[in-house]
Amino acid sequence: VPNVWHGNYFMVQTLLQSALVVLEKWQRITEELTTVAWVDDWKKGENGEKYEDELLTNTMRRIEEVLKLRAIHVQLVLLLSKKELQDMGADKIWEPFATFDPTHPLLYSANTTGAWEKAVQEFHRRVETQDSRVAVKLRNALSTSATSSFMLLQVFQRFKDIIKRPTTTQELSAERDSLMVVMDEMVTGFKQTFEAKQNTTIGIGTQKQSKEIRQILWARQLKFPIEQILHTAKCLLADLPKMEKFTELANKLCSDIDKYEKECFHAWQGNVHTLMQDAEEPIVIQMSGSLLTSREGKMIVTFNEKFTEIIGEVRQLLAM
């Protein structure tokens, strides 16, 4: 297990995010068991409330906090020069957590909550000394990227943890307003693309795939950046006056894309059902007879080739 504070950031990040996935799954399973599968017996013994593991919840919160602290540190390293890092004592930034073993920060205990909170406060106090300098660096980076909407968005996403700090947020108010305008324009552009092309034969994928599957893939591809933009907006711009209207626009567009995707899926289902009922050339495998035959020294598959294409499409849908 790598050192939580000094280990390779991306390795630590991957391991901790994987741990969160496991814990979230366990939390979801216990909730489902006590509200669905065991609901009758559980109500008798636990006053009908779903099971909540306080230790599990606090451990997840602790992991998220460690991830945030490491992200802030990495973003500082990317923004500041070596001399600036030396001046702020970056090599000693993890000293407040010296009372914890390299992996013990992840082991939540009510007995050490006070020491942990004190260490976190000291960490933020040390970072705070560089907030104004960081804001200047970010302003320059954002100014350089202002000519490209996607580049501007990438800068905000790359440094989102450091931008969320109160002082930095305040000093970058003009840049955040600009980002709000850019995001609104981007989502409006996606909306126009969707409305213009949803009733056409547009799609992505191979020609062997059915039109409906290619349209579903197109819808998924279109929706992904919208969700990313909305997530970034909620993370960085939640306090802005225009946020409510923007959220409504993005959510409505995602809902319309979901509806379109379902319509394509139902059309695909109908087409497959029709092919299965085709008396002249059914795509279903006949249980009697041979799947392979030989003709002129060549092996020939005896069932409809369309069947293998549909199996491939089913696998693709399941993988989405």
Side-chain angles (χ1 to χ4, degrees), residues 1 4 16 58-59 62-63 66 101-108 116:
V1 179
V4 168
L16 293 186
N58 287 324
T59 299
R62 174 65 59 81
I63 292 174
V66 170
D101 181 271
T103 55
H104 283 181
L106 306 178
L107 303 179
Y108 172 84
W116 173 260

Side-chain angles (χ1 to χ4, degrees), residues 135-236:
V136 172
K137 298 266 186 176
L138 283 169
R139 188 175 291 113
N140 292 336
L142 292 168
S143 176
T144 303
S145 306
T147 55
S148 169
S149 298
F150 283 100
M151 286 180 64
L152 183 67
L153 182 59
Q154 285 178 347
V155 173
F156 270 98
Q157 290 174 333
R158 188 181 187 187
F159 298 105
K160 65 179 184 295
D161 296 283
I162 207 86
I163 292 174
K164 287 168 65 177
R165 295 180 59 77
T167 301
T168 312
T169 294
Q170 185 176 356
E171 295 201 23
L172 294 177
S173 58
E175 287 76 12
R176 292 169 67 241
D177 287 337
S178 297
L179 179 65
M180 183 82 266
V181 173
V182 167
M183 285 183 164
D184 188 78
E185 291 175 348
M186 292 174 73
V187 172
T188 299
F190 286 127
K191 181 175 183 291
Q192 293 171 347
T193 298
F194 175 67
E195 291 174 345
K197 297 182 178 181
Q198 63 174 315
N199 295 320
T200 67
T201 57
I202 190 70
I204 59 174
T206 66
Q207 289 302 315
K208 284 190 174 182
Q209 292 173 319
S210 63
K211 178 188 73 174
E212 292 77 17
I213 293 297
R214 287 186 280 116
Q215 288 174 324
I216 290 173
L217 291 173
W218 172 74
R220 287 290 179 93
Q221 187 182 64
L222 183 66
K223 183 182 174 184
F224 179 74
I226 300 169
E227 291 178 325
Q228 293 294 101
I229 291 170
L230 182 58
H231 174 75
T232 301
K234 288 179 177 179
C235 180
L236 299 175

